[in-house]
């Protein structure tokens, strides 16, 4: 079928064709659907961290409501959760690490590098772990590291050399995934609050 289609062919199909003047970043004057983009990098950090997690949650909800969507949405869901994990680790390391001699990390997606540095921050503040939450969350992060070691597996079918990317799983339970991630992000939120109290004490 030819790429070009006449207007008459498109009418009634719900098919949106490019139009003169299309600009995805144009701002209509009414402002009804404007999203604010934070100028401050720290504000963006927090909003990104939460935004990737909320986006994954929303896609899980959509897939649960209409499971015909699940096979399409699983890839962005896993990527978004993984990226939210990475941002949460970097947030704790980069915001609190300098108080205890841990340097910032911006140039790695590798959980095998990020998680030990995160633990160094906790150790530097002398935090306790009576319910072994550190170990549990470390296990979840290790699983994400196995499933998507370089933040690549759920974004592309082949790596940058053209070799097919092997996937560790052929099925996932989206309800289970979201439930576990709720606990993990609750842990990061609690850690942030606790370290903030120590810094400001």
């Amino acid at each position: 079928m030819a790429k070009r289609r006449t207007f008459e062919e498109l009418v009634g199909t719900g098919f949106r064709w490019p139009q003169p003047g299309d600009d995805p970043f144009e701002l209509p004057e009414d402002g009804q659907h404007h999203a604010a983009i934070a100028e401050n990098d720290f504000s963006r950090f927090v909003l990104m961290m939460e935004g990737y997690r909320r986006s994954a949650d929303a896609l899980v909800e959509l897939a649960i409501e209409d499971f015909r969507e699940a096979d399409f949405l699983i890839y962005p869901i896993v990527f978004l959760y993984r990226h939210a994990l990475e941002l949460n680790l970097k947030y704790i390391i980069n915001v609190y690490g300098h108080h205890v001699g841990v340097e910032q990390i911006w140039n790695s997606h590798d959980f095998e590098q990020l998680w030990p540095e995160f633990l160094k921050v906790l150790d530097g503040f002398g935090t306790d772990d009576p319910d072994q939450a550190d170990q549990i969350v470390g296990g979840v992060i290790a699983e994400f590291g196995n499933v998507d070691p370089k933040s690549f597996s759920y974004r592309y079918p082949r790596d940058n050399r053209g070799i097919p990317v092997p996937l560790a799983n052929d099925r996932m339970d989206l309800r289970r995934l979201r439930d576990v991630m709720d606990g993990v992000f609750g842990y990061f939120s609690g850690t942030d609050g606790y370290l903030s109290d120590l810094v400001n004490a």
Side-chain angles (χ1 to χ4, degrees):
M1 182 175 71
K3 183 174 78 169
R4 304 267 176 211
R5 300 180 65 182
T6 66
F7 178 76
E8 288 79 13
E9 289 177 308
L10 296 174
V11 169
T13 66
F15 191 96
R16 170 41 162 105
W17 195 253
Q19 301 171 6
D22 275 354
D23 178 354
F25 301 106
E26 180 183 359
L27 289 175
E29 291 183 6
D30 62 14
Q32 184 178 359
H33 300 108
H34 291 188
I37 299 174
E39 293 183 15
N40 177 278
D41 68 308
F42 181 79
S43 297
R44 284 200 307 275
F45 197 173
V46 174
L47 292 167
M48 286 176 178
M49 190 170 60
E50 185 64 19
Y52 281 103
R53 181 264 175 100
R54 289 187 187 191
S55 297
D57 285 345
L59 291 179
V60 169
E61 192 59 36
L62 179 61
I64 289 171
E65 288 175 5
D66 182 357
F67 220 73
R68 292 170 298 181
E69 298 293 325
D71 292 348
F72 297 100
L73 298 179
I74 186 59
Y75 306 102
I77 287 169
V78 175
F79 169 73
L80 290 166
Y81 276 140
R82 191 205 187 283
H83 197 57
L85 282 176
E86 180 182 327
L87 288 174
N88 273 269
L89 288 169
K90 287 181 175 177
Y91 177 86
I92 298 295
I93 294 166
N94 295 332
V95 171
Y96 299 106
H98 66 95
H99 294 285
V100 291
V102 177
E103 294 187 11
Q104 295 188 350
I105 298 177
W106 292 107
N107 61 351
S108 177
H109 303 291
D110 189 349
F111 288 147
E112 289 186 0
Q113 180 181 1
L114 294 170
W115 179 249
E117 295 302 300
F118 171 86
L119 291 179
K120 284 182 187 177
V121 175
L122 298 189
D123 290 343
F125 280 97
T127 60
D128 295 323
D129 185 27
D131 52 7
Q132 296 187 325
D134 297 348
Q135 182 178 345
I136 296 166
V137 171
V140 172
I141 288 173
E143 285 296 319
F144 266 87
N146 290 333
V147 166
D148 191 1
K150 296 181 180 178
S151 191
F152 202 97
S153 303
Y154 286 79
R155 290 192 290 158
Y156 303 102
R158 292 176 177 254
D159 65 19
N160 55 14
R161 295 171 295 163
I163 298 171
V165 175
L167 296 180
N169 305 72
D170 62 1
R171 288 191 167 291
M172 290 190 194
D173 185 316
L174 292 176
R175 290 181 191 271
R176 173 70 175 168
L177 176 62
R178 181 178 60 184
D179 181 56
V180 170
M181 299 314 293
D182 281 348
V184 171
F185 292 120
Y187 164 89
F188 282 119
S189 179
T191 300
D192 178 28
Y194 180 69
L195 296 181
S196 178
D197 287 346
L198 291 179
V199 167
N200 295 316

